[in-house]
Amino acid sequence: MKFLDEAKVYIRSGDGGAGAVSFRREKFIEFGGPDGGDGGRGGDVWVEAVNGLNTLIDFRYQQHFKAAIGTHGMGRNRTGANGASVTLKVPVGTQIFEEDNETLIVDLVTEGQRFKLAAGGNGGFGNAHFKSSTNQAPNWANPGLAGEEKTIWLRLKLIADAGLVGLPNAGKSTFLATCTRARPKIANYPFTTLHPNLGVATIDGREFIIADIPGLIEGAHEGVGLGDRFLGHVERTRVLLHLVSAQEEDVAKAYKTVRHELEAYGEGITDKPEIVALSQIDVIDADELKKKAKALAKACGKTPLQLSAVAGIGMTETLRALRAVITDPEGTGE
Ligand SMILES: Nc1nc2c(ncn2[C@@H]2O[C@H](COP(=O)(O)OP(=O)(O)OP(=O)(O)O)[C@@H](O)[C@H]2O)c(=O)[nH]1
Ligand SMILES: [Mg+2]
């Protein structure tokens, strides 16, 4: 499977129109003089961040974006029309890279942010522009300037406040569906979630964005399962919510497996504050819960929260814990 959140796109801005060489010719008017108009400007290629998109999948279907060329100038001082610009609409959080896929051109982090990726060529001057006292009949004009063409990479790193991580079936999507209006696909098989989902949670009158990404399994950093490429989406979050299902036989191992993958991915993800929660606690009895909570506490070095999205247990506490980190002005985390 290809990297869903990356796309290679070819762009080309419009060439400028050429200026015209023309002379005024009319009955009874002698020496009418030059009247060749200027060429129009070529269209630009822009990129704009818009809300409501969370994948770059559209760019798999359309990979070429060309702005229109400026039209040529014409006689009787007519200027050519400017070429129409084109705008690539991308999700907020998209980064644009040069063809080497390393040099960042722009990072679009706010809705409505626009950036000109390629400027259209200027139109050329018509011969009317070159008339002077010493040359009253110039018979040349400028050609328009060529547009720019290049290949760029788009890479999406969603912008969310909190990121959900965990093994497949940990209940990440269920958590998102319960506390936000997002409706991700939920099912009891691994890798139900194939692309990230965003939702807005509200707690105590404050809103924040939660990102749900596909589950991680051992070896994800080597590409096992869906791999770890979706971790790019939690790179920019303030806090991680690490869900460990109470249905796991060995919760400590489940926790460590995911932590290990986060470490292998790098990019400072393991330095982020992490809130650990034992999820799906409605499926086990009190004794087992105690045991598993203890085992998980030992593995993560703090007391995990306990929640069940289905039974509605511990959800408010979890959202409060996330919010506390997100609104923490010091950025110290805990
Ligand atoms: N009993 C119970 N079942 C739950 C709970 N949360 C999730 N489930 C079930 O567990 C299964 C997996 O839930 P998902 O939310 O799809 O899990 P996920 O972590 O998003 O899984 P992937 O997308 O595959 O990584 C589904 O059948 C859910 O109905 C819970 O709190 N209690
Ligand atoms: Mg899911």
Side-chain angles (χ1 to χ4, degrees):
M1 205 167 104
K2 266 172 123 181
F3 193 161
L4 255 185
D5 304 285
E6 208 172 48
K8 193 179 180 183
V9 171
Y10 167 86
I11 56 169
R12 179 156 180 45
S13 56
D15 297 339
V21 176
S22 165
F23 294 92
R24 186 172 174 203
R25 293 181 79 84
E26 249 172 274
K27 211 175 178 184
F28 309 121
I29 295 180
E30 285 175 89
F31 308 114
D35 68 353
D38 301 338
R41 263 185 66 84
D44 305 323
V45 180
W46 289 83
V47 60
E48 181 179 346
V50 296
N51 260 344
L53 292 179
N54 60 4
T55 81
L56 293 172
I57 191 119
D58 294 348
F59 295 95
R60 292 261 214 106
Y61 302 105
Q62 191 186 354
Q63 294 160 342
H64 291 78
F65 291 84
K66 289 185 188 164
I69 57 171
T71 46
H72 296 334
M74 280 172 289
R76 286 195 257 139
N77 288 318
R78 283 170 296 173
T79 301
N82 292 339
S85 296
V86 290
T87 303
L88 282 67
K89 299 231 155 112
V90 298
V92 175
T94 302
Q95 298 177 325
I96 314 284
F97 291 88
E98 296 281 4
E99 191 169 3
D100 63 7
N101 206 353
E102 274 173 19
T103 317
L104 182 68
I105 301 174
V106 63
D107 188 2
L108 298 148
V109 292
T110 50
E111 191 201 346
Q113 191 179 341
R114 282 168 68 78
F115 184 82
K116 197 193 281 181
L117 292 171
N122 280 331
F125 290 125
N127 68 337
H129 179 86
F130 298 105
K131 103 182 141 188
S132 65
S133 53
T134 53
N135 188 350
Q136 300 187 8
N139 60 354
W140 68 87
N142 275 349
L145 293 183
E148 302 171 56
E149 65 178 333
K150 58 171 144 183
T151 303
I152 53 167
W153 283 91
L154 314 184
R155 198 181 300 158
L156 178 59
K157 288 185 181 171
L158 290 175
I159 305 214
D161 301 302
L164 285 165
V165 293
L167 292 179
N169 281 338
K172 299 179 295 296
S173 301
T174 309
F175 181 89
L176 185 78
T178 311
C179 60
T180 74
R181 292 180 62 180
R183 289 293 167 263
K185 189 170 167 192
I186 293 168
N188 65 350
Y189 56 83
F191 304 116
T192 316
T193 302
L194 296 174
H195 61 85
N197 299 294
L198 291 182
V200 180
T202 310
I203 185 77
D204 303 332
R206 295 287 293 259
E207 289 185 337
F208 61 90
I209 301 173
I210 302 180
D212 165 36
I213 62 165
L216 293 167
I217 57 174
E218 192 173 341
H221 69 282
E222 289 161 343
V224 184
L226 289 185
D228 62 1
R229 56 184 181 262
F230 295 98
L231 282 176
H233 294 302
V234 295
E235 256 177 51
R236 307 202 204 192
T237 59
R238 289 276 289 116
V239 55
L240 300 179
L241 175 58
H242 186 160
L243 295 184
V244 181
S245 171
Q247 302 202 43
E248 294 288 342
E249 280 305 319
D250 189 344
V251 289
K253 183 164 164 248
Y255 174 81
K256 284 181 187 152
T257 301
V258 171
R259 280 308 283 186
H260 181 72
E261 294 306 323
L262 296 178
E263 260 155 41
Y265 179 82
E267 308 292 337
I269 285 197
T270 41
D271 302 331
K272 287 184 192 298
E274 178 194 45
I275 288 171
V276 183
L278 193 59
S279 63
Q280 310 188 4
I281 57 166
D282 58 301
V283 295
I284 52 173
D285 59 31
D287 273 354
E288 213 180 336
L289 177 57
K290 221 173 178 177
K291 257 191 261 159
K292 287 193 169 164
K294 208 170 147 196
L296 184 55
K298 203 169 156 217
C300 70
K302 56 197 155 197
T303 313
L305 295 171
Q306 300 180 359
L307 66 90
S308 162
V310 167
I313 306 166
M315 296 297 284
T316 311
E317 291 79 354
T318 307
L319 291 178
R320 283 209 175 113
L322 291 173
R323 206 209 77 162
V325 181
I326 292 164
T327 52
D328 170 17
E330 259 66 69
T332 47
E334 312 293 305

